[in-house]
Amino acid sequence: MTLKLGVIGTGAIGADHIRRCMQTLSGARVTAVNDINAESAASAVKSYAPNAKVFSDPHALIKSDEVDAVLVTSWGPSHEEFVLASITAGKYVFCEKPLATTGEGCRHIVDAEMKHGKRLVQVGFMRPYDSGYRALKAVLDSGKIGDPLMLHCAHRNPRVGKNYNTDMAITDTLIHELDVLRWMLNDDYVSAQVIFPRKTPKSLPHLRDPQIVLLETAKGTRIDVEIFVNCQYGYDIQCEIVGELGIAKLPEPSAVLLRSEAARSEEILTDWKERFIGAYDVELQDFIDGVRSDKLRGPSAWSGYAAAVAADVCIKAQVSGAVEPINLPAQPAFYN
Amino acid sequence: MTLKLGVIGTGAIGADHIRRCMQTLSGARVTAVNDINAESAASAVKSYAPNAKVFSDPHALIKSDEVDAVLVTSWGPSHEEFVLASITAGKYVFCEKPLATTGEGCRHIVDAEMKHGKRLVQVGFMRPYDSGYRALKAVLDSGKIGDPLMLHCAHRNPRVGKNYNTDMAITDTLIHELDVLRWMLNDDYVSAQVIFPRKTPKSLPHLRDPQIVLLETAKGTRIDVEIFVNCQYGYDIQCEIVGELGIAKLPEPSAVLLRSEAARSEEILTDWKERFIGAYDVELQDFIDGVRSDKLRGPSAWSGYAAAVAADVCIKAQVSGAVEPINLPAQPAFYN
Amino acid sequence: MTLKLGVIGTGAIGADHIRRCMQTLSGARVTAVNDINAESAASAVKSYAPNAKVFSDPHALIKSDEVDAVLVTSWGPSHEEFVLASITAGKYVFCEKPLATTGEGCRHIVDAEMKHGKRLVQVGFMRPYDSGYRALKAVLDSGKIGDPLMLHCAHRNPRVGKNYNTDMAITDTLIHELDVLRWMLNDDYVSAQVIFPRKTPKSLPHLRDPQIVLLETAKGTRIDVEIFVNCQYGYDIQCEIVGELGIAKLPEPSAVLLRSEAARSEEILTDWKERFIGAYDVELQDFIDGVRSDKLRGPSAWSGYAAAVAADVCIKAQVSGAVEPINLPAQPAFYN
Amino acid sequence: MTLKLGVIGTGAIGADHIRRCMQTLSGARVTAVNDINAESAASAVKSYAPNAKVFSDPHALIKSDEVDAVLVTSWGPSHEEFVLASITAGKYVFCEKPLATTGEGCRHIVDAEMKHGKRLVQVGFMRPYDSGYRALKAVLDSGKIGDPLMLHCAHRNPRVGKNYNTDMAITDTLIHELDVLRWMLNDDYVSAQVIFPRKTPKSLPHLRDPQIVLLETAKGTRIDVEIFVNCQYGYDIQCEIVGELGIAKLPEPSAVLLRSEAARSEEILTDWKERFIGAYDVELQDFIDGVRSDKLRGPSAWSGYAAAVAADVCIKAQVSGAVEPINLPAQPAFYN
Ligand SMILES: NC(=O)c1ccc[n+]([C@@H]2O[C@H](COP(=O)([O-])OP(=O)(O)OC[C@H]3O[C@@H](n4cnc5c(N)ncnc54)[C@H](O)[C@@H]3O)[C@@H](O)[C@H]2O)c1
Ligand SMILES: NC(=O)c1ccc[n+]([C@@H]2O[C@H](COP(=O)([O-])OP(=O)(O)OC[C@H]3O[C@@H](n4cnc5c(N)ncnc54)[C@H](O)[C@@H]3O)[C@@H](O)[C@H]2O)c1
Ligand SMILES: NC(=O)c1ccc[n+]([C@@H]2O[C@H](COP(=O)([O-])OP(=O)(O)OC[C@H]3O[C@@H](n4cnc5c(N)ncnc54)[C@H](O)[C@@H]3O)[C@@H](O)[C@H]2O)c1
Ligand SMILES: NC(=O)c1ccc[n+]([C@@H]2O[C@H](COP(=O)([O-])OP(=O)(O)OC[C@H]3O[C@@H](n4cnc5c(N)ncnc54)[C@H](O)[C@@H]3O)[C@@H](O)[C@H]2O)c1
């Protein structure tokens, strides 16, 4: 039976997920759509899901019989409300990151889900679905490089808009590393420190850029993440794991090798949307397959919570300049 | 409306295409299946398409109302018959390569399709759907390296089975280059020469391995293709275009960079099935989308014919040792 | 006129420098040799400089008319004494690193040299003579990547001996980065912090390995150096400069690209002696040319002093765990 | 004892070799110089060898007591005469390539040297001294890739002058491959074929560019060499050996890896003089050491002869378009 999906939020990623479900993926179709901006909803439906019903009330959409599962792709601050409502309705829900804007908000969802008694929530962290990160994890798990001791990472954007501020380097940018590295290492963060190098003149006055975040895990692995969102040259994601026996590095996206104008060169992407484009398909197909087989396997509400708790501390460390402890409760058996 | 597909031949690639249509792609389902080996058909249906009907007669399948379009994935020698029958039935047909085993057989199909008056046939050449070849073509078409003057290519397998013979280096192996390079260059072959280097001791007595095929195109571009099917080390596909201004090289599949045991290394695939695995999805989705929009865009019967004509001459050149002319008629406007 | 060199210390590097002067370089020959171990001196002379005179007293060697300039290649703790004596004798002196074992010792040399009134001392930091570091500096100085904001470095050895302790990660290993990065950036260090990741089980109990040293420069550039001396896989030196506009990375030593056994691979050196082998020749030729033209251009006593001061603070930071300030006096005009 | 060298021909490479002997290498000095252009000789002496004597007669230079060994760096057509005169004088002679302009000319030298009874001649083929080619040969000789079956090579220049003609693609360009591949493979050529791809519009009317030369060796190894002297983008030398078990590729010159302007890039040299710059030093030092130890080890007169014979046939094959046999007599024991 084809899965009936209801989508709340039809902006950039919402519309793209609708297209994905209707034209690329298998086993689901979008039957219901809502957006606070009615025009946006209408336009998405027109482009990709002509037979879907536009709901003016997101809660009516959640409850509707036309909806088997919900995709929450509205603005971050509205996620908590819609995810909680979906749990109340006993429906599976895929929620774009962040699960909630704070650790506390995420905790409400975790509590509600555990009370409900079954995993219903998948968070839209797509990097664990990226073929590159998967290959890297496969090498790590193979034992070829021994246990991980250090990670050197970088998250670089060519430039950011005026609204991007120093906090967002954590909540919007680092958040992906916070999730994917935890998954990669199967380990939890215990402290964070933030260092501010000499600021790039390409950054606006209100934004400290670049930043270096130093994380420590429970097992003692040390992680450094360079966040540099006005690096000019490209959207570039680096992750290198230094193990006891060797080093493994995230693959570069494959590119044509050009010999021209006195250089050997390979293109670097500049648009973040292209960097993990394949991962979105795999992620959403996995959600659909998970719902259809009544067992979710993707990033859980707990993952969303863990990332949010670490992000909260990183922001504190930006201000204090000190090494700040991260206290995440032990993961409940429910989430193993 | 979901497209109803009938599949003839449920061996390795047939079964995989059924799985693909049922679990990964959008807009189609397999409703009918046939194989000369009834057990094979039953098993494929059981694994991937429980609701599909097993036909004992492939021609009944082709004609059935339960079938909107046909996938021909049986052995090569049976392709011509099933493709011609599909055309007669006025149904779209996706045929795995080869379209027919000889240039002459392909010509029958071209003639039948032109007589029918509309493109109905797509040949299962998947390399033009590979993201690497597409990126390479994009660079070529951008003009960055100027017009192409030479191509250096290689098609290497770790090893081949006992049944693989010297001819098959052309008909089974080179055939993919014959198709994809013609597409890449938008040009036709005018001559072929085959050179036999010192034979690898890893090859069986009856097989001349490696071989080098030299092709010349109508525009004067020169192509060398190394075919080496007992190269031991991996399944490795190389394609380098030397242009007036620079050189562009087919991307290597992206891989984890490992530093260990006194080496920096990246894995090379050994199983051909993994090398173009993404391309099969794109290829078949394009066929489905093409049928649903009533306009095929993939490799045409003419492409199948052109590759077969060139292959016939390469085999002649293996025997003669001479430079042999390739005479392909001008492409009919029907196929532009 | 061929330069007459006297060498004090004929161990591993001393003997190698004698060979270098006699068989590879231009414009100098070794005429006098001393070692506390007379057998060692005799053996070096026999192998590479049969006409050189063996001195039993290093101070007699320094004063001898047979010696135009001195090479100090004895154990570190003896360097200060021999360099000071050379200055007193008014002779040019090339001193292997370290110039002295502490900042204070180096200061004595700096003071003596300034009092003498002319540069006489070159310190054996060879990395600024390495073609890779020079190419990297050329890119930085070209402005292509803008001003440097961050440096990510690594200094890895496959393994170390029993005598190697936690301090030596600074004084023997990091010391090369302390010199070359200061030269690269044309900047001074203002603080240091040391982080100890999870210890590798390959390290002996008394040695904390790996370590991460975080340095800050006067201009605000942030440097992280991973020191990992039991990394098993190779001798591997990494240096990546993140600038305002782009990133430049120290070249890997060039190596044959091998495709074999399901991998593309390039060899990594395992013996540190081979990594900068070309640089030793250039370094010593530059000393010889400098002496012959009466003007030294290589690493000065001030460079030796600056590296020693930073090293002293790094050792303090290993113990305190805190961010420790580095206070280097302003460089005297004498050294510009 | 320092070796006294006499140099005939003080053009580009002659002057450079004088500088090399006087300022970089060990064990020799230039004591005598001649050039048909007296001003050129005077200028070279002034710049690099102020104490050398300028001879107006090259034969007087060869015979002079002030000359232990001769460097012939005049124009190609004069080489045969000066090398023969050096042999007559019983002096060691280093002769820049070509040894003589034809196979026949080289044969005269071979015969004279054998009659003299001892190797006196080293030909200025410097690629066997290049660290990259040596590393490649070390891999081949290690057995890691098994016996060689095919070689894919390229010799590309950004552009050539007006005087460069179709023949010179062989005599000036391919000649280096003809020598170094023979050395690499320890094998002789038995046939040659030349293919002319579509001509680059960047080439002048009288020059066919690019060309592909196909060579066959006695052991059946097949070599293709692309010669492309108006490739625009750089001076680029490629050599890939396909063996029974794997493939080894000539290292690229090491270069800074740059991430900037949406690309990862490494510089390609554009000036041929820089490509093998290190090899010239090693080559000439080896000649000096060889003379001093009375035993030459570098490329012999036979190597010069073998390359010239192959070159003669390649020129014939350019005209005939056919596969032309190469008949080199067996190498006399004298040269083993
Ligand atoms: N995983 C990723 O890589 C990734 C990428 C992009 C965006 N995101 C996340 O997806 C979410 C949406 O991002 P976007 O780029 O599509 O933003 P967007 O601004 O383009 O779209 C958000 C849409 O939500 C609608 N909306 C806002 N509040 C609503 C509410 N209360 N009820 C219904 N609709 C509401 C808006 O009208 C808008 O159409 C964000 O949380 C973002 O962090 C994740
Ligand atoms: N595009 C590619 O990369 C690619 C890859 C693999 C195979 N192929 C092509 O696909 C075709 C099938 O290859 P395969 O590897 O699946 O072979 P296979 O032997 O595994 O399967 C072929 C199947 O066809 C059935 N069959 C044979 N003749 C039949 C007939 N007359 N009627 C009905 N069924 C019949 C057989 O019983 C068998 O089950 C071949 O033409 C091959 O060249 C293409
Ligand atoms: N720049 C580099 O990369 C590099 C590399 C290796 C060593 N070094 C430095 O060179 C120095 C020597 O190192 P090595 O590896 O050759 O050590 P080594 O132990 O092999 O040799 C040292 C020699 O000095 C002699 N010696 C010691 N004290 C002496 C004294 N008071 N008078 C005369 N001779 C004395 C010893 O007998 C020994 O022969 C050290 O300071 C080391 O740090 C630098
Ligand atoms: N191995 C290499 O990579 C390499 C590189 C460059 C040149 N070469 C070879 O070196 C030789 C010289 O090349 P170049 O680039 O220096 O050329 P060049 O024209 O710069 O110099 C040649 C010099 O020889 C002098 N000369 C010519 N005939 C003479 C004669 N009969 N007696 C005395 N002097 C004479 C000329 O006046 C001139 O000064 C050529 O054979 C060339 O093929 C080899």
Side-chain angles (χ1 to χ4, degrees):
Chain A
M1 273 297 300
T2 301
L3 188 71
K4 290 174 287 177
L5 296 173
V7 179
I8 303 177
T10 56
I13 204 153
D16 206 39
H17 280 342
I18 296 173
R19 177 198 58 72
R20 190 164 275 124
C21 294
M22 296 301 290
Q23 296 180 2
T24 303
L25 305 181
S26 184
R29 66 180 204 275
V30 174
T31 52
V33 159
N34 162 266
D35 195 291
I36 207 171
N37 174 342
E39 236 171 87
S40 163
S43 143
V45 159
K46 193 171 163 215
S47 302
Y48 306 119
N51 298 326
K53 181 173 164 192
V54 175
F55 282 76
S56 55
D57 175 7
H59 290 280
L61 175 148
I62 291 169
K63 286 179 208 145
S64 165
D65 283 354
E66 280 309 291
V67 169
D68 298 331
V70 182
L71 303 194
V72 178
T73 48
S74 50
W75 292 329
S78 65
H79 292 181
E80 185 180 345
E81 172 189 343
F82 298 140
V83 172
L84 287 173
S86 299
I87 293 171
T88 302
K91 294 194 177 169
Y92 284 106
V93 54
F94 175 92
C95 177
E96 261 309 330
K97 59 99 208 163
L99 180 57
T101 52
T102 61
E104 204 194 345
C106 293
R107 185 77 223 192
H108 297 155
I109 291 170
V110 160
D111 290 342
E113 187 179 39
M114 288 179 68
K115 199 166 144 219
H116 175 82
K118 191 175 81 171
R119 271 199 62 190
L120 292 177
V121 181
Q122 177 168 331
V123 185
F125 287 129
M126 76 295 181
R127 287 204 196 170
Y129 290 99
D130 171 60
S131 58
Y133 275 108
R134 289 187 166 205
L136 185 59
K137 189 165 170 52
V139 168
L140 182 60
D141 293 348
S142 75
K144 259 183 220 162
I145 63 165
D147 280 338
L149 306 175
M150 294 170 281
L151 272 73
H152 305 304
C153 308
H155 190 143
R156 303 186 189 120
N157 293 46
R159 57 195 56 80
V160 288
K162 277 186 285 189
N163 296 329
Y164 190 100
N165 62 31
T166 302
D167 278 24
M168 290 168 71
I170 306 301
T171 54
D172 254 52
T173 301
L174 185 72
I175 195 78
H176 285 290
E177 269 79 16
L178 288 174
D179 175 66
V180 79
L181 300 182
R182 202 178 151 268
W183 165 83
M184 178 72 66
L185 295 174
N186 199 19
D187 199 356
D188 276 310
Y189 308 116
V190 298
S191 81
Q193 179 185 356
V194 178
I195 285 175
F196 292 109
R198 178 182 191 179
K199 186 175 153 175
T200 178
K202 304 290 179 187
S203 178
L204 290 174
H206 71 277
L207 174 62
R208 307 221 38 185
D209 182 44
Q211 308 180 21
I212 298 172
V213 179
L214 304 173
L215 297 161
E216 186 184 3
T217 74
K219 292 178 190 154
T221 302
R222 290 291 190 150
I223 300 166
D224 43 85
V225 186
E226 175 200 320
I227 307 168
F228 188 9
V229 296
N230 288 287
C231 80
Q232 308 299 309
Y233 76 87
Y235 184 75
D236 203 2
I237 302 299
Q238 301 284 323
C239 180
E240 190 175 43
I241 307 179
V242 182
E244 296 164 14
L245 304 174
I247 297 182
K249 194 168 179 298
L250 185 69
E252 304 280 353
S254 78
V256 170
L257 176 63
L258 208 61
R259 292 171 183 264
S260 68
E261 297 176 16
R264 287 190 298 278
S265 68
E266 293 171 289
E267 204 187 359
I268 294 179
L269 298 174
T270 50
D271 186 348
W272 63 265
K273 282 190 285 291
E274 294 174 37
R275 178 62 180 85
F276 295 107
I277 204 161
Y280 294 110
D281 287 354
V282 185
E283 166 196 61
L284 217 49
Q285 185 71 60
D286 189 48
F287 175 71
I288 292 166
D289 295 350
V291 173
R292 294 177 81 193
S293 66
D294 209 25
K295 186 164 177 47
L296 294 185
R297 286 166 300 255
S300 69
W302 188 264
S303 297
Y305 173 55
V309 166
D312 287 353
V313 175
C314 288
I315 288 174
K316 198 173 156 195
Q318 282 181 331
V319 176
S320 74
V323 179
E324 300 287 350
I326 302 178
N327 296 305
L328 184 75
Q331 182 168 309
F334 180 88
Y335 285 106
N336 293 346
Chain B
M1 273 299 301
T2 301
L3 189 70
K4 290 174 287 177
L5 296 172
V7 178
I8 302 176
T10 57
I13 204 153
D16 206 40
H17 280 342
I18 296 173
R19 179 200 55 72
R20 190 164 274 124
C21 294
M22 294 302 288
Q23 297 181 3
T24 304
L25 305 181
S26 185
R29 66 179 204 276
V30 173
T31 53
V33 159
N34 161 269
D35 196 289
I36 208 171
N37 174 343
E39 237 170 87
S40 164
S43 146
V45 158
K46 195 173 162 214
S47 302
Y48 305 120
N51 298 326
K53 183 175 165 190
V54 176
F55 281 76
S56 55
D57 173 7
H59 291 279
L61 177 148
I62 291 170
K63 285 179 206 143
S64 164
D65 283 353
E66 279 309 292
V67 169
D68 297 331
V70 182
L71 303 194
V72 178
T73 49
S74 49
W75 290 328
S78 64
H79 291 181
E80 184 180 344
E81 170 189 343
F82 298 140
V83 173
L84 287 173
S86 300
I87 294 171
T88 302
K91 295 195 178 170
Y92 283 105
V93 55
F94 174 93
C95 177
E96 262 308 331
K97 60 101 205 161
L99 180 58
T101 51
T102 59
E104 201 192 345
C106 293
R107 184 78 224 194
H108 297 154
I109 291 170
V110 160
D111 290 342
E113 187 178 41
M114 288 180 68
K115 196 165 148 220
H116 175 81
K118 191 174 79 168
R119 271 199 61 191
L120 291 177
V121 181
Q122 177 168 333
V123 184
F125 287 128
M126 76 294 181
R127 288 206 194 168
Y129 290 99
D130 171 59
S131 58
Y133 275 107
R134 287 188 168 204
L136 185 59
K137 188 164 169 56
V139 168
L140 182 61
D141 293 348
S142 75
K144 260 183 218 160
I145 62 166
D147 280 336
L149 306 175
M150 294 169 281
L151 272 74
H152 305 305
C153 307
H155 190 144
R156 303 187 189 118
N157 293 45
R159 58 195 55 79
V160 289
K162 277 186 285 189
N163 297 329
Y164 191 102
N165 60 31
T166 301
D167 278 25
M168 288 168 73
I170 305 301
T171 54
D172 254 52
T173 301
L174 184 73
I175 194 80
H176 284 290
E177 270 78 16
L178 289 175
D179 176 65
V180 78
L181 299 182
R182 202 179 151 267
W183 165 82
M184 178 71 67
L185 296 174
N186 198 18
D187 198 356
D188 276 310
Y189 307 117
V190 298
S191 81
Q193 179 184 357
V194 179
I195 286 175
F196 292 108
R198 180 181 186 178
K199 185 174 154 176
T200 178
K202 303 291 179 184
S203 179
L204 290 173
H206 71 277
L207 173 63
R208 308 225 33 188
D209 183 42
Q211 307 181 21
I212 298 172
V213 178
L214 305 173
L215 297 162
E216 184 183 3
T217 74
K219 292 178 190 154
T221 302
R222 289 290 189 152
I223 300 166
D224 43 85
V225 186
E226 175 199 321
I227 306 168
F228 188 10
V229 297
N230 288 288
C231 80
Q232 308 297 311
Y233 76 87
Y235 184 75
D236 204 2
I237 303 298
Q238 303 283 324
C239 180
E240 190 175 44
I241 308 179
V242 182
E244 296 163 14
L245 305 173
I247 297 182
K249 193 168 177 299
L250 186 69
E252 304 279 355
S254 79
V256 170
L257 176 63
L258 208 61
R259 291 172 183 265
S260 70
E261 296 176 17
R264 289 190 297 279
S265 67
E266 293 171 289
E267 204 188 357
I268 294 179
L269 299 174
T270 50
D271 185 349
W272 63 265
K273 281 191 285 292
E274 294 175 36
R275 178 61 179 87
F276 294 106
I277 202 162
Y280 294 110
D281 286 354
V282 186
E283 166 196 63
L284 216 50
Q285 186 70 60
D286 190 49
F287 175 70
I288 293 166
D289 296 350
V291 173
R292 292 177 81 195
S293 66
D294 209 25
K295 184 163 178 48
L296 295 185
R297 286 167 300 258
S300 66
W302 188 264
S303 298
Y305 173 56
V309 166
D312 287 352
V313 175
C314 288
I315 289 175
K316 195 172 158 198
Q318 283 182 330
V319 177
S320 74
V323 179
E324 299 288 351
I326 302 178
N327 297 305
L328 185 75
Q331 181 168 307
F334 180 86
Y335 285 106
N336 293 347
Chain C
M1 273 298 300
T2 301
L3 189 70
K4 291 174 287 179
L5 295 173
V7 178
I8 303 175
T10 56
I13 203 153
D16 207 40
H17 281 343
I18 296 173
R19 178 199 56 72
R20 190 165 276 124
C21 293
M22 295 302 289
Q23 295 180 2
T24 304
L25 305 181
S26 185
R29 66 178 203 276
V30 174
T31 53
V33 159
N34 162 266
D35 196 290
I36 208 170
N37 175 343
E39 238 170 87
S40 164
S43 144
V45 158
K46 194 173 161 213
S47 302
Y48 306 120
N51 298 324
K53 182 173 163 193
V54 175
F55 282 76
S56 55
D57 174 6
H59 290 281
L61 176 149
I62 291 171
K63 285 178 206 144
S64 166
D65 283 354
E66 279 310 289
V67 169
D68 299 331
V70 183
L71 303 195
V72 179
T73 49
S74 49
W75 290 330
S78 65
H79 291 181
E80 185 180 346
E81 173 190 341
F82 298 140
V83 173
L84 287 172
S86 300
I87 294 172
T88 301
K91 294 194 178 169
Y92 284 106
V93 54
F94 175 92
C95 178
E96 262 308 330
K97 59 105 204 156
L99 180 56
T101 51
T102 61
E104 203 193 344
C106 293
R107 185 77 223 193
H108 297 152
I109 290 170
V110 159
D111 290 343
E113 187 178 41
M114 288 180 69
K115 199 166 142 217
H116 174 82
K118 192 175 80 172
R119 272 199 62 190
L120 291 177
V121 182
Q122 176 168 334
V123 184
F125 287 130
M126 75 296 181
R127 287 206 195 167
Y129 290 99
D130 171 60
S131 58
Y133 274 108
R134 288 188 167 203
L136 185 59
K137 188 164 169 53
V139 168
L140 182 60
D141 293 349
S142 75
K144 260 184 218 160
I145 63 166
D147 280 338
L149 306 175
M150 294 169 281
L151 272 72
H152 305 306
C153 308
H155 190 143
R156 303 186 188 119
N157 293 45
R159 57 193 57 79
V160 288
K162 277 186 285 189
N163 296 328
Y164 191 102
N165 61 33
T166 302
D167 278 25
M168 287 169 72
I170 306 300
T171 54
D172 255 52
T173 301
L174 185 71
I175 195 78
H176 285 290
E177 269 79 17
L178 288 174
D179 175 67
V180 78
L181 300 182
R182 202 179 149 267
W183 164 81
M184 178 72 67
L185 296 174
N186 199 18
D187 198 355
D188 276 310
Y189 308 117
V190 299
S191 81
Q193 180 185 356
V194 178
I195 286 175
F196 292 109
R198 178 183 190 177
K199 186 175 153 176
T200 177
K202 304 290 178 186
S203 178
L204 291 173
H206 70 276
L207 173 63
R208 308 225 30 189
D209 183 44
Q211 309 179 20
I212 297 172
V213 178
L214 304 173
L215 297 162
E216 184 184 3
T217 74
K219 292 179 189 153
T221 302
R222 290 291 190 151
I223 300 166
D224 44 84
V225 186
E226 174 199 323
I227 306 168
F228 188 9
V229 297
N230 289 288
C231 81
Q232 309 298 310
Y233 76 87
Y235 184 76
D236 204 3
I237 303 298
Q238 301 284 324
C239 180
E240 191 175 44
I241 307 179
V242 182
E244 297 164 14
L245 305 172
I247 296 181
K249 194 166 177 301
L250 186 68
E252 305 280 354
S254 78
V256 170
L257 176 63
L258 208 61
R259 293 171 182 266
S260 68
E261 295 175 19
R264 286 190 299 278
S265 67
E266 293 170 291
E267 204 188 357
I268 294 179
L269 298 173
T270 50
D271 186 347
W272 62 265
K273 281 191 286 289
E274 294 174 37
R275 178 62 178 84
F276 294 107
I277 203 162
Y280 294 110
D281 287 354
V282 186
E283 167 196 61
L284 217 49
Q285 185 71 61
D286 190 47
F287 175 71
I288 292 167
D289 296 350
V291 173
R292 292 178 82 193
S293 65
D294 210 26
K295 185 164 178 47
L296 295 185
R297 286 166 300 257
S300 68
W302 188 263
S303 298
Y305 173 55
V309 166
D312 287 353
V313 175
C314 288
I315 288 174
K316 198 172 157 196
Q318 282 181 332
V319 176
S320 74
V323 179
E324 299 289 351
I326 301 178
N327 296 305
L328 184 75
Q331 181 168 309
F334 180 88
Y335 286 106
N336 293 346
Chain D
M1 274 297 302
T2 301
L3 189 70
K4 290 174 286 178
L5 296 173
V7 178
I8 303 175
T10 56
I13 204 153
D16 207 41
H17 280 343
I18 296 174
R19 178 199 56 72
R20 191 164 276 124
C21 294
M22 295 302 288
Q23 297 180 0
T24 303
L25 305 181
S26 186
R29 67 179 203 277
V30 174
T31 52
V33 159
N34 161 267
D35 196 292
I36 208 171
N37 174 343
E39 237 170 89
S40 164
S43 145
V45 159
K46 192 169 165 218
S47 301
Y48 306 119
N51 297 325
K53 182 174 164 192
V54 175
F55 282 76
S56 55
D57 173 8
H59 290 280
L61 178 148
I62 291 170
K63 287 178 206 143
S64 166
D65 282 353
E66 279 310 290
V67 168
D68 298 332
V70 182
L71 303 193
V72 178
T73 48
S74 50
W75 290 328
S78 64
H79 291 181
E80 185 180 345
E81 171 190 343
F82 298 140
V83 172
L84 287 173
S86 300
I87 294 171
T88 301
K91 295 195 177 169
Y92 284 106
V93 54
F94 174 93
C95 177
E96 263 307 332
K97 59 102 209 163
L99 180 57
T101 49
T102 60
E104 202 193 346
C106 293
R107 185 76 225 193
H108 297 153
I109 291 170
V110 159
D111 290 342
E113 188 178 38
M114 289 180 69
K115 196 165 147 222
H116 175 82
K118 191 175 80 171
R119 269 200 63 191
L120 292 177
V121 181
Q122 177 169 332
V123 183
F125 287 129
M126 75 295 179
R127 288 203 193 170
Y129 290 99
D130 172 60
S131 57
Y133 275 107
R134 288 187 168 204
L136 185 59
K137 186 164 171 54
V139 168
L140 182 60
D141 293 348
S142 75
K144 261 184 218 159
I145 62 165
D147 281 337
L149 306 175
M150 293 170 280
L151 273 72
H152 305 304
C153 308
H155 190 143
R156 302 186 189 119
N157 294 46
R159 58 193 57 78
V160 288
K162 277 186 286 189
N163 296 329
Y164 191 103
N165 61 32
T166 301
D167 277 24
M168 289 169 72
I170 306 300
T171 55
D172 254 52
T173 300
L174 184 72
I175 195 78
H176 285 290
E177 270 78 17
L178 288 175
D179 175 66
V180 79
L181 300 182
R182 202 177 150 269
W183 165 82
M184 179 72 67
L185 295 174
N186 199 19
D187 199 356
D188 277 309
Y189 308 116
V190 299
S191 80
Q193 179 184 358
V194 179
I195 286 174
F196 293 108
R198 182 180 186 179
K199 185 174 155 176
T200 177
K202 304 289 179 186
S203 178
L204 290 174
H206 70 278
L207 174 63
R208 308 224 33 186
D209 184 42
Q211 308 180 20
I212 298 172
V213 178
L214 305 173
L215 297 161
E216 185 184 2
T217 75
K219 292 179 190 152
T221 302
R222 289 291 189 152
I223 301 166
D224 44 84
V225 186
E226 174 200 322
I227 306 168
F228 187 11
V229 296
N230 289 287
C231 81
Q232 309 298 309
Y233 76 87
Y235 183 75
D236 204 2
I237 303 298
Q238 303 284 324
C239 179
E240 191 175 43
I241 307 179
V242 182
E244 296 165 13
L245 305 173
I247 296 182
K249 194 168 176 300
L250 186 69
E252 304 279 353
S254 80
V256 170
L257 177 62
L258 207 62
R259 293 173 182 265
S260 70
E261 295 175 17
R264 286 190 300 279
S265 67
E266 292 171 290
E267 203 188 358
I268 294 179
L269 298 173
T270 50
D271 186 348
W272 63 266
K273 282 190 286 291
E274 294 174 36
R275 179 61 179 86
F276 294 105
I277 202 161
Y280 294 110
D281 287 354
V282 186
E283 166 196 62
L284 217 49
Q285 185 71 60
D286 189 48
F287 175 70
I288 293 167
D289 295 351
V291 173
R292 292 177 81 193
S293 66
D294 210 26
K295 185 164 177 48
L296 295 185
R297 286 167 300 256
S300 68
W302 188 264
S303 298
Y305 172 55
V309 166
D312 287 352
V313 176
C314 288
I315 289 175
K316 197 172 157 196
Q318 283 181 331
V319 176
S320 74
V323 180
E324 300 287 350
I326 302 179
N327 296 307
L328 184 74
Q331 182 168 306
F334 180 88
Y335 285 105
N336 292 347

